[in-house]
Amino acid sequence: MAGTEREAATVLDAVRAIVPTLRENGKEGEDQRWISEQNLELLEKADVFRTGVPKRFGGLELSVPQHIDLLLEISRGCGSTGWVCEGFITAAWMVRLFPERAQQEVYAGGSARVSGGFTPSGTLVPTEGGYLLNGAWRFNTGCRGADWNLAATNLHHPDGTVQQMLTVVPIGDITFDDDWDTMAAAATGSSTTFATDVFIPAHRAIDMGEAFAAGGGEPTGPGEGRDYGLISVVMAESTSTLIGMAQGAYDLFLERVHRPLSYTAWQDQAEHPLTQIQVATAANQLAAARALLAAQAGIVQERADAGERLTTEERATLRGQCGFAVKLAREATQTLFAASGASAIQRSLPIQRFFRDVQGFSMHAVMTPDANLEVYGRVLLGLDPNTTVL
């Protein structure tokens, strides 16, 4: 087993060992609207936040399939924790798109927690040595536990032209609004963040269009294997969290299935033919979702290993298959929750939290395979919104 494979296996084993604790802390996270500090400490100890950092800075630099394995397990324990970790890992990877000096600053120590607001709702004005940043960003997942923050913004040039930029900012320069209070994703702490006349050195700002379109410059050739297209890696790793949450609901359903069915003669729900069909259907949906995601993640990694970009058709297929995998995970969770009986609505039973989280997270723009996302996807692929993707 290669060194990176051994390191990935070690982190995965450590995460599997803490899944019960992540799940047990779920209610606390919801109550305080931010994941348990113990969850963060356990994940830090397991080296999860080193996995998106390049090896030359002391990180583990795991591959997309390896990240997906981790996120599936974390999300099986706690959906909000899994979503926050996906954000931290993906945003940490994105820092490699910045100049060397910025990478040295963010990656110092070999572990990085980076949050991000990717709607360009700020303004960037040139000043001596860099820029001044102002703005507000909603739904900034993980900002309450991050060390750095990515903020998308509009650079206003003296000639009146506007350029979309991505900046990386120390979290201490960002303020928060206590406005995150939701029925799903409740522990992600996705507050609105603000910047007021924050100085951004020139090396901490890059062209956002180039980053989104190409994953950071031209392919570097075979061997590096971490030069992904941004949207593709975000889509694949986000999808893994939804499948992990659905797997958590499946595990919890099986823990309670040997119970009497109220107002019937059935003393063991597991013996009822309808329950058996429901469980089998959910298991097949989860297996199919995992297979779809694994195939797409494999293509993303294969292209990166070869120093190539995904084709337009491959990127469109990835979006479609990841979207369908999310749909399967949502349907499986709905079936299992509906079969859990009225007692499952108690907040002390975590299956209701998995049900709410899957419904909520699947409404995210990149997760929903509907007509609006189809148009959005065409734009991200650089195509005319009125053309056919495939």
Side-chain angles (χ1 to χ4, degrees):
M1 185 182 294
T4 299
E5 292 175 343
R6 282 196 299 270
E7 291 167 340
T10 298
V11 178
L12 185 58
D13 287 344
V15 166
R16 283 178 176 148
I18 64 175
V19 164
T21 304
L22 299 180
R23 184 175 298 164
E24 183 180 344
N25 290 336
K27 186 176 182 299
E28 175 190 338
E30 284 205 317
D31 289 344
Q32 66 186 19
R33 293 176 288 154
W34 172 236
I35 57 178
S36 163
E37 189 62 33
Q38 184 183 26
N39 284 10
L40 286 173
E41 291 172 355
L42 290 171
L43 293 164
E44 188 77 65
K45 185 177 180 180
D47 283 337
V48 168
F49 305 127
R50 291 180 61 209
T51 63
V53 175
K55 282 183 174 292
R56 64 194 183 92
F57 292 104
L60 299 178
E61 199 172 4
L62 299 189
S63 67
V64 168
Q66 289 166 340
H67 275 144
I68 283 173
D69 287 341
L70 282 179
L71 293 167
L72 285 167
E73 286 298 308
I74 295 168
S75 302
R76 188 170 66 86
C78 172
S80 286
T81 302
W83 190 262
V84 168
C85 286
E86 186 278 328
F88 282 168
I89 290 170
T90 304
W93 167 81
M94 289 173 61
V95 172
R96 71 189 296 278
L97 308 179
F98 284 78
E100 176 71 16
R101 183 177 173 187
Q103 293 185 50
Q104 291 175 354
E105 292 167 346
V106 177
Y107 292 145
S111 179
R113 300 185 198 174
V114 186
S115 57
F118 300 108
T119 300
S121 52
T123 59
L124 204 61
V125 178
T127 190
E128 185 177 354
Y131 312 92
L132 288 180
L133 175 67
N134 287 275
W137 295 265
R138 299 181 65 205
F139 304 107
N140 196 340
T141 294
C143 59
R144 295 192 175 275
D147 301 311
W148 293 81
N149 184 75
L150 293 173
T153 186
N154 296 303
L155 171 59
H156 292 260
H157 292 288
D159 63 2
T161 59
V162 178
Q163 177 185 8
Q164 289 189 349
M165 301 287 286
L166 190 63
T167 64
V168 60
V169 190
I171 204 67
D173 291 344
I174 299 293
T175 57
F176 313 93
D177 193 358
D178 187 19
D179 60 351
W180 188 250
D181 191 8
T182 56
M183 56 76 66
T188 61
S190 303
S191 300
T192 301
T193 52
F194 302 89
T196 304
D197 289 333
V198 173
F199 176 69
I200 306 294
H203 65 276
R204 292 195 204 143
I206 59 174
D207 183 275
M208 185 171 166
E210 291 180 2
F212 272 58
E218 291 302 313
T220 54
E224 186 175 9
R226 299 296 180 267
D227 193 13
Y228 312 111
L230 177 60
I231 298 301
S232 298
V233 72
V234 169
M235 187 79 189
E237 295 191 4
S238 296
T239 297
S240 70
T241 65
L242 272 293
I243 299 173
M245 294 174 216
Q247 184 65 53
Y250 181 87
D251 296 344
L252 289 164
F253 183 85
L254 293 186
E255 287 180 9
R256 301 181 67 240
V257 73
H258 296 289
R259 63 187 183 89
L261 287 173
S262 301
Y263 307 111
T264 75
W266 293 91
Q267 294 303 302
D268 186 343
Q269 185 182 5
E271 296 178 358
H272 197 293
L274 176 59
T275 300
Q276 294 170 5
I277 292 171
Q278 291 169 322
V279 170
T281 300
N284 287 334
Q285 288 171 320
L286 289 174
R290 283 177 178 265
L292 287 169
L293 177 58
Q296 292 306 307
I299 293 171
V300 169
Q301 193 60 53
E302 180 182 342
R303 288 294 192 192
D305 289 342
E308 300 171 349
R309 297 283 181 223
L310 293 175
T311 66
T312 296
E313 289 78 9
E314 286 171 336
R315 282 185 284 167
T317 300
L318 182 145
R319 278 190 162 276
Q321 294 201 2
C322 284
F324 192 71
V326 168
K327 181 175 183 289
L328 290 171
R330 185 173 64 241
E331 290 174 352
T333 308
Q334 288 172 331
T335 297
L336 295 168
F337 182 70
S340 295
S343 61
I345 68 173
Q346 299 175 89
R347 291 190 65 222
S348 60
L349 296 180
I351 192 169
Q352 51 77 34
R353 184 165 53 254
F354 281 101
F355 169 71
R356 288 185 287 108
D357 279 349
V358 168
Q359 304 309 306
F361 284 118
S362 66
M363 295 172 70
H364 192 286
V366 299
M367 297 285 99
T368 309
D370 62 12
N372 292 331
L373 181 60
E374 184 180 354
V375 173
Y376 179 57
R378 289 171 180 156
V379 173
L380 289 174
L381 292 172
L383 302 175
D384 186 314
N386 297 313
T387 62
T388 302
V389 173
L390 292 179

